[in-house]
Each structure stands twice: as structure tokens, then as C-alpha cells.
Amino acid sequence: MAYAENFYIGANDEHGVNPPTAGKRTPIMPYVNRSFYENEFNRPAKYYFLIACLRTGFNVYDIKPELNDISINQRVIRTNRQNLTCLVTYAYNAYGNDLAFNQTNGYLVFYSDENRFNALSKLLAYDVSAGLDEELTTRNLGIGTLSRIGMLGSVNCPAVVTECGFMTNFNEAKLMMDPDFQKACGNGGAIGVSNNLKVNYVADMSYLQMPTLRYGNRGNIVKFLQCYLNLYGNSLTVDGIFGSGTQNAVRKFQQDNSLAVDGIVGRNTWRTLMMQDSLPLLRRGSRGVYVRYLQQKLVAKLYPAGTADGIFGANTENAVRQFQQENGLAADGIVGPLTWGKLTPIGGGREKP
């Protein structure tokens, strides 16, 4: 087997989330009365991919840390300055009229014959498709080719685009917002890259393995931290430097999760960042990452919990009560083991009216 540290993996997410790129969205989703925008999936899936690559031991490069969209030309320039081993872009597909749902479904991995490493790109596409197949239960549509796509054809390394579902399919549109589906797509891509490069994939790590980090630290473990912080709404440059921006993001995370606000990433902060506690009892007034996860799962099942802000307020309580009532549970608005048990599986939720 090869050594992961000898490889440099790039990751890109299509489009923007703040503001959302116009047109890259689902039809209006019933019950929650809004569209889901493509980058609401692409961005977290990319960070889960980078986290999986980092724990495997790869060096990584985040093409687009910004929340806003940037041009393809900018992305290509950034990529081609890095001398990357390979590049994976996360995206979500659409078919037909984007104002209406249809039955087209499944995930595809694309490469381009215009890439100077087209044969290696094709092999990477096969491996990433197989990696996704290990993690996902949706339909595998295999691989395909695209032309005139800059992030496939104009970059100077093997490159693929993973289209992880169809936003014009009702059930796959719901999956876009599910953090467990996002994570599965990220892990699947990392499995594919690991197999392609003949590296042993590392499926998980414990917070107990994490070193204490503070201002001034550097290295891939800081990149690991920065990727987690970006999952929670930050737009840090994943540069492996624990500077003032990273410290401020750590402090805010600690404050939002009732941790000691010291800007130092120790055992308690790692455990919360990596969500490695048992799912807690939540009720109105609760705060933190587990409330944010609850809100994401509710919205993915089309219960209107509002913005995933980590604050268990009236909207979240009402959504919990609706979910409980429709799933044969006591509608008390308190999230305990029975409610978590019904809520955590990927997929399901309210059907199309």
C-alpha cells in the first residue's frame, strides 16, 4: 500500500450558499415552503470529504472556502497553482423543468476526455463511484463524460465531479439537507480516492486521539479543525495555521455549545466538534451542535424547524411536535431516545402532497 502523506487531494464545491447561486435549487419543497439550494448540500459534503481525507493521512487543498460563488476561471487558477494529485468536485444534478419534480434519480460521477490526464480521470471516476456505492443506498448510475467543464477539462490533474443525486427528484431533494447523507457522500468520495491511490482508508477517529490545539499551532490537524469549524457555518481558509480567525471561530463555537471559552481546542471541544457524545435529551431552550443536527434532520424530512442555528426555539419545538404526532410518538416536544430513533435514519419523512 502507498503512504497517504505522499498525495495532495483537492476538493471543490459547486456554486455558492451566501448568497445562493441563482437557479441552482430544487422546486419549492412542500411543508417548509422554500427551495433547497444546491450548495446547501455541496459545501458540507465537500468538508466531510476533506475531513475523511485528512483522517486517512492525505494532504488536502480546499479550492473554495468562500460562502459566495466564485468564477470557474478563479477555481481553475487556484487548482493549477497547487500541483494536486487529483481533484473531486461535489455537485447535485437536475433534470428537466427545475420548477417541477420528476422521477429521474441516482448518482453519477463525471470526468472529461479533455483533461490531459483523461485516462487517470476515468479510473478515478470508477473508483469514486464504487466508493459512493459502499456508503449510499440510492441508485448508482455509474460514470459519464462531460465536455467544456473547466473543473474537469482545464485542470492539470485527474479530476471528477460527483453528482450525488437529482434535486428535481422529490426524495433526493430531501436528502440534500440531511447531514448524515452529506457525510456518507463525503466518505464515499474519500473511499474512492483512497482505493484509487492504493491507500488504506481510515473510517473513523476518536476525539481521544486528538491533540490539544491553540493559537500558533500548524499542520494537517489544524486543517482538520478548520474543516469542522466550516461545517458549522464558518468560511475559514483551510491553511493549517491556527491564527486569529481560527481562534475566534473556536471561541464562538465554545460559547454556542456552553464550553469554556478559552480558544483552546481540548478534549471537550473536540468531543463536541466531532459529535461523539450520545444523542442528548433536547427540549426548548437547548442549544448547540446537537440542536443544529436535530433541526437539519427535521428540515430534511420536511418539518419546518426554521434555520439550523442550534437554538431550540418555538419553530423547532413545533416541528418536533408535528414529527412526533405523525410518527406515533407522544407529542411533547421533547427529543429523547424514541424520537431520535425515528428521526436519525437517512431518508423518509413527509411524502409529496
Side-chain angles (χ1 to χ4, degrees), residues 31 68 130 157 164 166 211 234 302 323:
Y31 307 106
N68 59 293
C157 65
C164 294
F166 281 84
N234 295 283
L302 301 185
F323 177 82

Side-chain angles (χ1 to χ4, degrees), residues 62-110:
D62 180 9
I63 308 297
K64 188 185 79 69
E66 297 94 341
L67 293 170
N68 59 293
D69 207 352
I70 63 172
S71 71
I72 295 298
N73 186 55
Q74 284 179 280
R75 296 169 196 251
V76 170
I77 289 170
R78 290 179 182 182
T79 300
N80 289 346
R81 286 174 177 167
Q82 296 300 313
N83 194 28
L84 297 171
T85 305
C86 65
L87 169 66
V88 176
T89 292
Y90 276 87
Y92 222 77
N93 221 332
Y95 180 79
N97 180 355
D98 65 1
L99 298 178
F101 293 110
N102 57 61
Q103 298 304 308
T104 304
N105 66 93
Y107 55 92
L108 276 156
V109 181
F110 290 101

Side-chain angles (χ1 to χ4, degrees), residues 14-328:
E14 285 294 290
H15 312 302
V17 70
N18 187 18
T21 302
K24 304 298 180 179
R25 66 191 189 281
T26 69
I28 296 294
M29 302 298 291
Y31 307 106
V32 295
N33 296 316
R34 75 170 183 95
S35 295
F36 297 157
Y37 281 85
E38 184 177 346
N39 199 256
E40 292 184 272
F41 166 82
N42 296 344
R43 184 175 175 84
K46 176 191 72 174
Y47 283 117
Y48 282 120
F49 169 76
L50 286 171
I51 287 165
C53 286
L54 284 163
R55 71 171 178 256
T56 297
F58 290 117
N59 298 297
V60 303
Y61 178 66
D62 180 9
I63 308 297
K64 188 185 79 69
E66 297 94 341
L67 293 170
N68 59 293
D69 207 352
I70 63 172
S71 71
I72 295 298
N73 186 55
Q74 284 179 280
R75 296 169 196 251
V76 170
I77 289 170
R78 290 179 182 182
T79 300
N80 289 346
R81 286 174 177 167
Q82 296 300 313
N83 194 28
L84 297 171
T85 305
C86 65
L87 169 66
V88 176
T89 292
Y90 276 87
Y92 222 77
N93 221 332
Y95 180 79
N97 180 355
D98 65 1
L99 298 178
F101 293 110
N102 57 61
Q103 298 304 308
T104 304
N105 66 93
Y107 55 92
L108 276 156
V109 181
F110 290 101
Y111 72 100
S112 175
D113 283 324
E114 297 163 355
N115 186 298
R116 60 184 289 201
F117 302 102
N118 60 335
L120 292 175
S121 294
K122 183 176 182 179
L123 291 174
L124 179 62
Y126 274 119
D127 285 329
V128 168
S129 177
L132 290 170
D133 199 54
E134 289 188 32
E135 293 291 300
L136 305 183
T137 59
T138 47
R139 183 182 175 206
N140 187 345
L141 297 173
I143 71 167
T145 59
L146 291 173
S147 60
R148 297 191 296 252
I149 302 295
M151 293 305 289
L152 288 178
S154 301
V155 295
N156 59 4
C157 65
V160 298
V161 170
T162 65
E163 300 269 10
C164 294
F166 281 84
M167 67 184 80
T168 43
N169 177 280
F170 178 71
N171 288 321
E172 292 188 355
K174 289 190 289 182
L175 290 177
M176 292 170 66
M177 304 300 287
D178 190 315
D180 294 310
F181 179 74
Q182 296 163 356
K183 185 175 182 179
C185 292
N187 288 347
I191 291 169
V193 168
S194 299
N195 289 339
N196 181 262
L197 298 174
K198 297 179 173 53
V199 167
N200 286 320
Y201 172 69
V202 177
D204 204 4
M205 289 180 73
S206 168
Y207 74 93
L208 296 172
Q209 298 172 258
M210 300 295 117
T212 298
L213 296 179
R214 52 171 50 85
Y215 185 88
N217 287 141
R218 290 173 176 250
N220 279 351
I221 192 63
V222 177
K223 288 187 177 183
F224 191 76
L225 167 67
Q226 290 166 330
C227 286
Y228 266 107
L229 290 168
N230 282 355
L231 271 179
Y232 300 124
N234 295 283
S235 54
L236 298 169
T237 299
V238 182
D239 57 6
I241 301 170
F242 198 133
S244 58
T246 300
Q247 185 181 57
N248 289 338
V250 169
R251 288 182 179 276
K252 184 179 186 305
F253 180 84
Q254 290 170 330
Q255 183 173 21
D256 291 345
N257 287 275
S258 303
L259 299 165
V261 183
D262 56 9
I264 298 170
V265 185
R267 181 170 293 185
N268 290 335
T269 300
W270 276 123
R271 181 173 57 198
T272 307
L273 269 169
M274 298 170 73
M275 288 185 61
Q276 290 189 349
D277 282 313
S278 299
L279 292 171
L281 187 75
L282 298 178
R283 51 166 51 90
R284 189 163 181 173
S286 298
R287 289 175 174 251
V289 292
Y290 291 97
V291 174
R292 185 177 184 275
Y293 174 72
L294 165 68
Q295 293 165 327
Q296 290 173 308
K297 295 296 286 192
L298 286 165
V299 170
K301 296 181 192 301
L302 301 185
Y303 293 88
T307 303
D309 58 5
I311 301 171
F312 198 134
N315 288 338
T316 302
E317 183 179 49
N318 290 337
V320 169
R321 289 182 185 275
Q322 291 173 31
F323 177 82
Q324 290 170 326
Q325 186 173 24
E326 294 176 19
N327 286 273

